[in-house]
Amino acid sequence: MAPIRARTPEKTLKQHGELALIERIRLRARSTLPASRKRLVPLGIGDDCAILAPPAGSEVVVTTDFSLEGRHFTLDRHPAASIGHRVLARGLSDLAAMGAQPLSVFLSLALPRSLSLNTRWLDGFLDGLLDLARKAKAPLAGGDTSESPSGQLLLDIVALGTLPAGTALRRQGARPGDRIYVSGALGGAAAELAVVLSGKRSRQPSHPHLYPEPRLRTGWMLRERRLATACMDLSDGLSTDLAHLCRASGVAAEIMLDQLPLHPLSRRASQPERLRMALHGGEDYELLFTAPADRKLPRSLGGVPLTCIGTIVSARPKSPILTQIDNAGRRSALLPGGWEHLR
Amino acid sequence: MAPIRARTPEKTLKQHGELALIERIRLRARSTLPASRKRLVPLGIGDDCAILAPPAGSEVVVTTDFSLEGRHFTLDRHPAASIGHRVLARGLSDLAAMGAQPLSVFLSLALPRSLSLNTRWLDGFLDGLLDLARKAKAPLAGGDTSESPSGQLLLDIVALGTLPAGTALRRQGARPGDRIYVSGALGGAAAELAVVLSGKRSRQPSHPHLYPEPRLRTGWMLRERRLATACMDLSDGLSTDLAHLCRASGVAAEIMLDQLPLHPLSRRASQPERLRMALHGGEDYELLFTAPADRKLPRSLGGVPLTCIGTIVSARPKSPILTQIDNAGRRSALLPGGWEHLR
């Protein structure tokens, strides 16, 4: 369905402030709730709370993620539509990691005064957000708006999903001997980010940084077919996230560097730089999961290739939690080099 | 149950950044999940998503609310515990307005670097947040942490509640002839805020601004006993919120000024100033609701007094949506004077 264009003229937004902004978002958000899903969201934007009706026998999974100007994106380098897309992709990727189907999403939005009057920017932002919401069948059902006291754009996304009770994919569950897999390719987001930050136009056919695709179908199928013993999404970088998975499962891991599926966007970089982007770059929003060695996995799932990149081993005191093995068979500790706030 | 004190020393927090902060919150949040509610929250903090198991036959209501330094609170005037309490009270009050019971809450927290190392401040903040969470049986099940790029403290609360399907209290539903009620007293939050902002210590026995009490029991009972035709919480001020309720219901309202339950904290102010605080002050977090004129309402509900303050009338073109009537019977338009962002 084509997005419903809001017709609120700039003057009205200025006169009526928050109410006009909410009305603008409410009108456009309607397109994210197809008739087939209305029984799951009996009430969207406009009351004290939204009302959701999860299917009988399901559990609800919930995640929240900040996207803050100057930390997760910039206003001068990121197109408005990319900012809207990315804030939602972060939340949906967490749902994919549990094997859940989106139920609805909520956006808290604190706008600098300049942007609150910039209907072109707002429409671009909503285009990016709502296009992905429609594609992922994730209706925008509410949120909050405020003026940003610091003058920086502040976004917080809440994503809710459903899955049959007791079936969620977890970070715990990986066992020694399990193979380690990733969906898609790694390092593409870091490669495109470098282009974006340099101020050049990103002209590649794919946009792993500006418009990452949350792997909802892949996660759902992994869970439905009981293929994975543990799963999470790659948001902070393989070296950081795999360590999280290992700690949650009480195991360690060995990674074969020459098996990493390097993203074609990094092909002009040196090999060490390509490896760095794949291991530590972060924000690839691919799935990282483990499966028993004797379980036959398809080459691709939900339209995305799957690649075996290593093996789960027993955790040993004084041994590194992650070991990398290069193509000459040399082993060394792989230290977490991914994204961590407040460090 | 006494709060579990985190034992993370300051040095560890500095070294380990976000992970140590999350671990600190996770340990302390355990105390908000009593054994009796564990089946409703099969998984809390620590995976890609939390997992919730709403009771069969229930709907889930969801609200999100920003609390931003410099807009909703100040770091120099508000005690850390008040900031923690208030951010949660905002979310729980929205659940109360629907007549819902808390299911769980999520906190997104962007800290300035200085506060991320200030364990005393962090513990005070968590004391305020988690004491209310325990009291309200609202387990903290997840969230997000980040460093604040602007150096200002940014908070976003997500509150989820449950209620029997199809029974939620809504803003719509008020009909001409219905009486208008409020719980508790009005203007107390504005009166205490004036003291707080002046830098004086707030020594009153009650703290409607620093520690507002979300009216969860009152809202739940209003819904269970089918007493109200429409309901919302008073967050932006009576003059703003009652207009929202009227617009949602397609009606207008008349308020008797001498029937407003003025909060004792404003007693030293002039009568016009007391009325201003009660009508426009905002953040009282009381419930505003309507009921048919022939429905007998108790004097108090859930331990909070109920007061009839006016009547719903038909909306007429060119007539004000809200009319105030003073003790001499003089009628005038009551214009929204409450809180609205981006205005």
Side-chain angles (χ1 to χ4, degrees), chain A residues 16 52 60 66 144 156 340, chain B residues 16 52 60 66 144 156 340:
Chain A
H16 295 288
L52 309 177
V60 176
F66 264 137
D144 191 22
D156 192 31
E340 192 193 333
Chain B
H16 295 287
L52 309 177
V60 175
F66 264 138
D144 191 21
D156 192 32
E340 193 192 334

Side-chain angles (χ1 to χ4, degrees), chain B residues 244-257:
Chain B
H244 289 324
L245 187 146
C246 284
R247 268 190 293 268
S249 295
V251 296
E254 295 179 352
I255 294 297
M256 309 296 293
L257 294 181

Side-chain angles (χ1 to χ4, degrees), chain A residues 14-21 42-43 46-54 58-66 68-72 90 94-95 97-98 106-111 113 116 143-150 152 154-156 158 160 168-172 231-233 244 247 340-343, chain B residues 14-19 21 42-43 46-54 58-66 68-72 90 94-95 97-98 106-111 113 116 143-150 152 154-156 158 160 168-172 231-233 244 247 339-343:
Chain A
K14 200 165 177 174
Q15 282 170 343
H16 295 288
E18 189 179 16
L19 290 182
L21 176 63
L43 181 65
D47 215 300
D48 289 289
C49 294
I51 305 178
L52 309 177
S58 66
E59 284 172 343
V60 176
V61 299
V62 185
T63 180
T64 82
D65 284 293
F66 264 137
L68 307 175
E69 182 189 342
R71 183 137 194 103
H72 301 94
R90 289 191 71 188
D94 282 325
L95 300 186
M98 309 295 283
F106 294 78
L107 175 72
S108 291
L109 172 68
L111 286 170
R113 191 170 285 265
S116 72
D144 191 22
T145 56
S146 178
E147 183 177 328
S148 168
S150 67
Q152 284 179 314
L154 313 171
L155 305 165
D156 192 31
V158 185
L160 291 94
L169 299 175
R170 301 273 307 271
R171 294 182 180 183
Q172 67 178 56
C231 184
M232 67 182 297
D233 76 324
H244 288 325
R247 267 189 295 269
E340 192 193 333
H341 297 284
L342 298 179
R343 204 176 174 98
Chain B
K14 200 166 177 173
Q15 281 169 344
H16 295 287
E18 189 178 16
L19 290 183
L21 176 64
L43 182 65
D47 215 301
D48 288 288
C49 294
I51 305 178
L52 309 177
S58 66
E59 284 172 344
V60 175
V61 300
V62 185
T63 180
T64 82
D65 284 293
F66 264 138
L68 307 174
E69 182 189 342
R71 183 136 195 105
H72 300 94
R90 287 191 71 187
D94 282 326
L95 301 186
M98 309 296 282
F106 295 78
L107 175 71
S108 291
L109 172 69
L111 285 171
R113 192 171 284 265
S116 71
D144 191 21
T145 57
S146 178
E147 182 176 327
S148 167
S150 67
Q152 285 179 313
L154 313 171
L155 305 164
D156 192 32
V158 185
L160 292 95
L169 298 175
R170 301 273 307 271
R171 293 182 181 182
Q172 68 178 55
C231 184
M232 69 182 298
D233 77 322
H244 289 324
R247 268 190 293 268
W339 177 270
E340 193 192 334
H341 297 284
L342 299 178
R343 202 172 177 102

